Amino acid sequence: MIKKLISAAVVTSLFSLAAVAQNKKNVTLEDVARFGTFYPERVSGFQSLKDGDHYAVLERVPELGTAINQYAYTTGELVKTLTSTKAIEDATTTKIALRSYNFSPDESKLLIPTETESIYRHSSKSKYLIFDLKSQQLQELDADKQMLATFSPSGNQVAFVKDNNLYYKDLENGNITTITTDGERNKIINGASDWVYEEEFGFNQAFFWSPDGQYIAYYRFDEERVREFSMDIYGDALYPTQDVFKYPKAGEDNAIVTIHIYSLKDNKSVPVRLDDPYEYIPRVKWSAHSEEVCVYALNRHQNHLKLYLANSATGSSKLLYEEKDPAY
């Protein structure tokens, strides 16, 4: 079915290009730059469902607004509409813009980002809404904008980053638990990546639920020794504003990065102890049984890699694997 979707998109794009080619004199710069004349077709909000037989997509439906529709892989036919902006607004009297979504692990709830505001190339913050597909109840994750909201494996909690600190919300009682308190702009980041890790290591979410949902492993970036960079921001105003942020140039000090493991049961964090010096921690991976987490440690030249296995409860670690290369 995926091949059919891709093939249909390619064919549609080819027909569009052919039509334009036949009538080149009528194509304007505005058509190309503003209206996307040459843009390929795409499927919005595509997510495969747990049963392996169905997938969900975002679609515009005149009478429903934006809908999350469920289709069968084998036939490509619409099975049902899971929900829509009209259904959510009718049930909750809350106006929303449905542009993306994530299912809870049991697919009974939706996490919907709204009022999204970009930060860097990949990072953003939003006001997240949780919609229960069974009860048709809608709740805000928090009054302020958050980053990286993520369901726990049980789907009963959502962890998120706000103002450089890490939190989680219990969806059953509505309580929000503070995991870190020392976060501060241009000083300390908990649970989200700094600019270097977002840009060079390809991720901005820097916290990870354990498979059993009892722990959260998270990054802590100490940026105090990193030098600042300033940039003029041009908007609608007559004069630009200035943004000042931590930006390590080549050869300058990077943030000091450490990994911590938070226990939901004990409501406390332990630091992962790595015996040897390192510069980067490009990846963190949970073991299947949640008792240990694998921490990747890398030197600045990026030619000496060590994998450590850290105990979830104590933070103590042992060397699991080591690799060196003369170049990279």
Side-chain angles (χ1 to χ4, degrees):
M1 183 57 206
I2 293 176
K3 288 183 178 179
K4 290 181 180 178
L5 288 169
I6 295 172
S7 299
V10 171
V11 170
T12 303
S13 296
L14 290 174
F15 275 122
S16 297
L17 289 172
V20 169
Q22 291 176 2
N23 199 17
K24 284 183 180 178
K25 64 180 181 180
N26 293 329
V27 178
T28 66
L29 185 60
E30 187 178 34
D31 290 329
V32 175
R34 184 179 175 187
F35 300 114
T37 299
F38 293 104
Y39 280 17
E41 296 292 326
R42 63 175 183 257
V43 179
S44 178
F46 181 94
Q47 293 197 41
S48 186
L49 300 183
K50 286 178 64 178
D51 63 9
D53 296 323
H54 300 92
Y55 63 91
V57 293
L58 280 175
E59 294 181 320
R60 289 288 300 167
V61 180
E63 63 273 18
L64 299 177
T66 302
I68 303 176
N69 285 332
Q70 179 179 325
Y71 286 86
Y73 274 119
T74 52
T75 64
E77 293 179 354
L78 175 66
V79 176
K80 62 180 177 179
T81 296
L82 297 174
T83 192
S84 65
T85 50
K86 184 179 186 302
I88 295 173
E89 289 168 0
D90 287 348
T92 64
T93 67
T94 302
K95 294 287 185 182
I96 68 162
L98 183 55
R99 295 188 176 92
S100 65
Y101 64 96
N102 281 304
F103 286 106
S104 61
D106 65 358
E107 297 176 349
S108 68
K109 303 181 189 73
L110 295 173
L111 195 56
I112 303 170
T114 63
E115 302 178 33
T116 300
E117 176 184 337
S118 293
I119 302 174
Y120 297 128
R121 188 202 300 257
H122 306 292
S123 54
S124 63
K125 57 183 178 180
S126 306
K127 292 196 76 170
Y128 283 89
L129 305 174
I130 301 106
F131 183 68
D132 191 307
L133 290 166
K134 295 178 181 177
S135 68
Q136 296 288 291
Q137 295 295 308
L138 184 77
Q139 62 173 299
E140 278 190 340
L141 181 57
D142 189 66
D144 302 314
K145 288 187 177 182
Q146 315 91 40
M147 297 174 62
L148 308 166
T150 306
F151 281 113
S152 66
S154 68
N156 293 328
Q157 299 97 7
V158 174
F160 62 94
V161 175
K162 184 179 73 170
D163 297 330
N164 286 15
N165 280 313
L166 185 60
Y167 304 82
Y168 79 90
K169 182 173 185 175
D170 188 313
L171 300 182
E172 294 182 347
N173 59 31
N175 292 337
I176 294 178
T177 299
T178 302
I179 297 174
T180 67
T181 58
D182 61 345
E184 185 177 345
R185 176 172 165 76
N186 286 339
K187 287 188 178 180
I188 303 293
I189 308 172
N190 294 291
S193 71
D194 70 348
W195 185 92
V196 172
Y197 277 63
E198 176 175 339
E199 193 66 28
E200 305 300 338
F201 289 126
F203 69 91
N204 59 306
Q205 179 165 334
F207 69 85
F208 314 95
W209 286 97
S210 63
D212 65 4
Q214 296 303 305
Y215 298 95
I216 300 175
Y218 65 92
Y219 282 70
R220 181 182 185 271
F221 292 83
D222 183 342
E223 296 188 296
E224 291 208 59
R225 70 178 187 176
V226 180
R227 297 180 64 181
E228 292 182 340
F229 188 88
S230 63
M231 180 182 294
D232 286 339
I233 306 298
Y234 292 87
D236 296 329
L238 182 60
Y239 290 92
T241 57
Q242 192 174 66
D243 188 23
V244 178
F245 55 96
K246 297 288 185 165
Y247 179 81
K249 292 192 175 184
E252 295 294 319
D253 286 337
N254 283 309
I256 298 172
V257 183
T258 51
I259 302 300
H260 302 257
I261 302 173
Y262 173 79
S263 167
L264 275 71
K265 179 182 177 182
D266 300 328
N267 191 25
K268 69 176 184 179
S269 295
V270 296
V272 171
R273 299 189 296 278
L274 305 179
D275 295 332
D276 297 323
Y278 60 89
E279 184 79 19
Y280 303 118
I281 299 178
R283 293 291 183 270
V284 169
K285 303 289 183 182
W286 277 103
S287 63
H289 48 68
S290 301
E291 294 175 2
E292 294 170 314
V293 63
C294 185
V295 178
Y296 295 42
L298 196 61
N299 64 337
R300 185 150 187 167
H301 195 62
Q302 300 187 37
N303 65 349
H304 187 182
L305 173 69
K306 292 183 178 181
L307 304 188
Y308 292 92
L309 209 55
N311 183 277
S312 305
T314 66
S316 61
S317 67
K318 60 183 179 181
L319 185 63
L320 179 66
Y321 175 79
E322 183 174 9
E323 182 177 314
K324 296 180 180 180
D325 191 277
Y328 175 77

